Amino acid sequence: MRLQLHELREGKFDFSGDLDVVKFLRTAASVGLMAIVRPGPYICSECNLGGMPGWLLGKNGIRLRCENRVFMKYAGRFLDRTLPLLAPLQCTRGGNLIAMQVENEYGSYAADGKYIAHLCRIFRANGIEVQLFTSDCADRSMLKAGTSPELPATINCRNHPGENFRVLDSVDTGFANAHFIMELWNGKAWCWGVKPQHHGDEEVAADIREIMREKASVNCYMFHGGTNFGFTSGANHSEGHYLPFLTSYEVDGVLDEGGNCGGKYSAIRNVIEEFRPGTTDLPPRPGGNGSAGRDPGGIRAAARFPCGPLPGAAPRSAGNDGIFRPVVRIHPL
């Protein structure tokens, strides 16, 4: 969940239309899906400011993502509005919400245990009964910094899951940790000016096979990434270079941006069939564009982000190198 969308303007909360998370979770339940929710306040997901609204930066005395009185005032207010909407959907009350993540990859940012503990108290005070957990990269220093002795730790990684589980097991976080890869990176975010990197279908299938042998749990990240509309995509800073992300969050996912099945889908499905024969029977794959006949949300979603005529960018691949380069345009209102 992205605070920057639900509270685009300070003090004005929106959980309607495309932001109706309750309807989204109930729709998931109607097709037999369980749900794990990452409600923030920081979610990363390659969003601008990790999903937090830019107006936070104008608050006097604020320090983000720590036990700072100003930051916790606004983070707590958002969670106090959000969590009561989710509480009735928990599996403990007959719903499909089975767990919630506290913060995201906090060990790569800081090591403020009081902050994590404060967030946990807010969750529990708002009626959250399901399992809470943390999620960090499979790195000893990050796991030590980002975990809590009161929560199980999960990991995020790419390739060789067994080795990464051994890293998790080697760190005493104070809790019996779960062999759960919360983010198995089956792709990589795409940036302007950088040739997209692809993770091979069979490499991903090998990771899934190893996880199945470990009798562990996994989320593919991303299974379906969709689109970051407007100006909500984030950026990286690497070796002195500013690398803004594309609006596409397909990131070489199991399904493409339009919802179509790719090679990874078939490869993963075949591995599951090895371990659970007869469980992967599905109707025939739909043909054509997965978004055909639907409004992909561009017009409706873009309308949420006020803007005037600004220099814009559209993806263009120059030559045969596959590198995305911006084209400056003026977009009329």
Side-chain angles (χ1 to χ4, degrees):
M1 297 181 64
R2 294 163 66 166
L3 199 162
Q4 65 185 197
L5 300 183
H6 292 291
E7 195 180 359
L8 179 63
R9 294 177 175 82
E10 182 180 348
K12 298 184 182 297
F13 293 93
D14 187 357
F15 298 96
S16 65
D18 295 336
L19 301 177
D20 190 341
V21 65
V22 172
K23 182 178 180 180
F24 177 82
L25 291 172
R26 285 178 173 161
T27 301
S30 71
V31 295
L33 295 176
M34 298 295 182
I36 297 173
V37 174
R38 183 191 295 175
Y42 176 87
I43 65 168
C44 186
S45 301
E46 282 61 56
C47 302
N48 185 32
L49 205 61
M52 299 182 293
W55 52 259
L56 276 178
L57 300 177
K59 300 301 178 183
N60 290 331
I62 197 167
R63 293 180 60 205
L64 302 179
R65 301 178 68 192
C66 65
E67 185 67 355
N68 168 267
R69 179 182 58 82
V70 182
F71 177 69
M72 290 309 300
K73 170 186 174 182
Y74 295 103
R77 184 177 70 179
F78 173 68
L79 291 172
D80 286 344
R81 289 293 298 267
T82 302
L83 297 175
L85 299 176
L86 303 178
L89 306 178
Q90 297 174 98
C91 61
T92 54
R93 306 186 191 183
N96 65 324
L97 202 169
I98 60 174
M100 284 197 188
Q101 182 175 316
V102 178
E103 248 279 349
N104 184 67
E105 295 181 341
Y106 188 64
S108 63
Y109 178 79
D112 189 345
K114 291 183 179 180
Y115 165 61
I116 298 297
H118 192 166
L119 290 178
C120 290
R121 291 196 299 273
I122 294 174
F123 277 66
R124 297 307 188 199
N126 280 286
I128 300 305
E129 304 151 351
V130 295
Q131 181 67 64
L132 304 179
F133 63 90
T134 58
S135 184
D136 284 277
C137 295
D139 174 271
R140 287 180 59 84
S141 62
M142 293 182 186
L143 285 165
K144 288 180 179 179
T147 54
S148 165
E150 299 179 359
L151 302 178
T154 66
I155 56 174
N156 304 334
C157 64
R158 175 187 291 107
N159 295 335
H160 312 302
E163 293 180 13
N164 287 292
F165 284 137
R166 303 296 87 79
V167 173
L168 173 63
D169 293 340
S170 72
V171 178
D172 182 8
T173 65
F175 199 96
N177 295 318
H179 274 199
F180 197 142
I181 298 182
M182 197 53 58
E183 294 182 10
L184 177 68
W185 300 324
N186 45 250
K188 190 171 183 179
W190 296 344
C191 297
W192 291 104
V194 177
K195 187 174 182 178
Q197 299 182 35
H198 295 278
H199 197 187
D201 301 346
E202 291 308 315
E203 292 180 72
V204 175
D207 286 346
I208 297 294
R209 185 176 289 108
E210 190 171 342
I211 291 166
M212 298 289 282
R213 286 173 178 159
E214 290 264 350
K215 298 183 178 179
S217 299
V218 63
N219 284 318
C220 290
Y221 196 90
M222 295 297 293
F223 196 93
H224 176 252
T227 309
N228 287 323
F229 293 107
F231 301 98
T232 59
S233 287
N236 276 342
H237 190 268
S238 177
E239 299 179 352
H241 297 286
Y242 176 69
L243 301 173
F245 294 114
L246 303 183
T247 54
S248 171
Y249 201 49
E250 180 177 318
V251 294
D252 206 18
V254 180
L255 304 181
D256 69 14
E257 191 171 4
N260 302 295
C261 301
K264 287 187 178 68
Y265 180 91
S266 298
I268 292 171
R269 183 174 166 182
N270 291 340
V271 172
I272 295 173
E273 184 69 19
E274 293 175 18
F275 290 85
R276 301 283 301 277
T279 63
T280 61
D281 293 337
L282 292 174
R285 184 192 314 186
N289 189 326
S291 60
R294 301 199 308 269
D295 176 359
I299 296 175
R300 293 196 305 272
R304 294 185 178 275
F305 306 102
C307 60
L310 295 171
R316 180 181 66 179
S317 176
N320 297 317
D321 60 4
I323 296 175
F324 290 114
R325 294 186 174 88
V327 179
V328 176
R329 293 178 179 172
I330 299 299
H331 295 285
L333 289 175

